[in-house]
Amino acid sequence: MVSASPLQKLYNICNEVFDPCSAGIIPSPDNIQKLKAVLDDFKPADVGLSPEMPHSRASGAGETPVIRYIHIHECDKFSIGIFCLPPSGVIPLHNHPGMTVFSKLLFGTMHIKSYDWVVDVPPSTSAVVSPSKSRLAKVKVNSNFTAPCNTSILYPTDGGNMHCFTAVTACAVLDVLGPPYSDSDGRHCQFYFDFPFSNISVDGLSLPEGGKEGYAWLQERKKPEDLIVVGELYGDPTTVET
């Protein structure tokens, strides 16, 4: 009997893990560990990628780095795809409404900065500031990651639901989203500016432990005009059987 390919195994476990879930519903801890274990073992060769491929080359002087998105699978319950970033490529700060997201860095070094909303402010103060409508967020991650490394997981309200990816070197990250973005279902990809906490003063707002450097104000923005993502379909004819 021919064993299933790594990608087929990934599809099968995603189907199992996300089938009972919907927006805002987190898979069970056992199912999260099952999916994480499959992703932790993933290698670039499993999806035909390597750092030497043309899309990994640095952009020319003055050129905006072009990000490549390889679409593997999407249904109502989950999506599987790969972001390939050249050196200095950036996926700006954005959210994942109601989603559980698994990200596996396949190769390269990437800086990840992520935030979660602050919800435990005193009743006499507000975590939203008018007229800018900036909202207070706590830094969850602000570090470089180099492959091979473990899969990172974010949740609807925890784990760094809003994050920014910056390619230190050429890199590729395999993303599993459950459920995927859907404007018609209210899961719109919202981008943000982040500003230091000290930029805005709020009367009566005292910070929990961590200090000012562990917090920031996030302000909604339109999709950045200089964000260039070129999509393509995964080209392996032996891709997943649904």
Side-chain angles (χ1 to χ4, degrees):
M1 182 176 178
V2 178
S3 62
S5 69
L7 201 52
Q8 184 68 52
K9 289 178 182 176
L10 176 60
Y11 168 81
N12 291 346
I13 194 66
C14 284
N15 209 32
E16 176 186 335
V17 167
F18 290 112
D19 182 63
C21 299
S22 57
I25 305 300
I26 300 171
S28 70
D30 284 348
N31 278 341
I32 286 173
Q33 289 308 309
K34 285 181 185 178
L35 179 48
K36 181 179 182 298
V38 171
L39 284 167
D40 282 345
D41 285 341
F42 242 82
K43 299 173 179 60
D46 292 334
V47 282
L49 296 179
S50 78
E52 288 72 40
M53 297 181 75
H55 63 264
S56 298
R57 295 172 187 157
S59 304
E63 295 180 351
T64 299
V66 176
I67 297 165
R68 179 178 169 218
Y69 178 72
I70 304 173
H71 171 91
I72 296 174
H73 176 80
E74 182 171 325
C75 60
D76 290 343
K77 293 291 187 177
F78 64 91
S79 65
I80 305 171
I82 303 169
F83 285 99
C84 301
L85 289 76
S88 302
V90 177
I91 300 178
L93 185 64
H94 62 284
N95 70 347
H96 306 83
M99 303 178 191
T100 302
V101 179
F102 297 73
S103 297
K104 168 63 176 177
L105 187 62
L106 296 174
F107 65 77
T109 297
M110 173 182 284
H111 184 85
I112 299 177
K113 188 168 189 179
S114 67
Y115 298 91
D116 289 312
W117 296 122
V118 171
V119 295
D120 54 349
V121 296
S124 59
T125 61
S126 174
V128 181
V129 179
S130 298
S132 67
K133 296 184 179 179
S134 297
R135 185 174 174 185
L136 187 61
K138 179 176 174 59
V139 176
K140 184 70 176 183
V141 174
N142 188 16
S143 302
N144 285 351
F145 293 82
T146 299
C149 56
N150 289 335
T151 303
S152 62
I153 308 171
L154 63 82
Y155 303 96
T157 60
D158 190 24
N161 185 274
M162 296 152 289
H163 65 200
C164 172
F165 287 167
T166 302
V168 179
T169 69
C171 56
V173 60
L174 173 59
D175 262 2
V176 174
L177 279 63
Y181 289 108
S182 171
D183 287 346
S184 61
D185 293 319
R187 295 190 301 277
H188 167 69
C189 182
Q190 177 63 58
F191 291 89
Y192 298 91
F193 292 113
D194 56 342
F195 302 105
F197 176 82
S198 57
N199 277 24
I200 301 175
S201 177
V202 177
D203 291 339
L205 179 59
S206 59
L207 291 175
E209 60 182 75
K212 294 180 180 180
E213 68 279 359
Y215 295 83
W217 297 100
L218 305 192
Q219 183 184 77
E220 292 184 3
R221 63 180 297 193
K222 294 180 180 179
K223 179 182 176 182
E225 293 182 0
D226 59 353
L227 174 60
I228 303 174
V229 179
V230 176
E232 63 181 75
L233 295 177
Y234 183 67
D236 187 343
T238 63
T239 190
V240 296
E241 296 180 6
T242 59

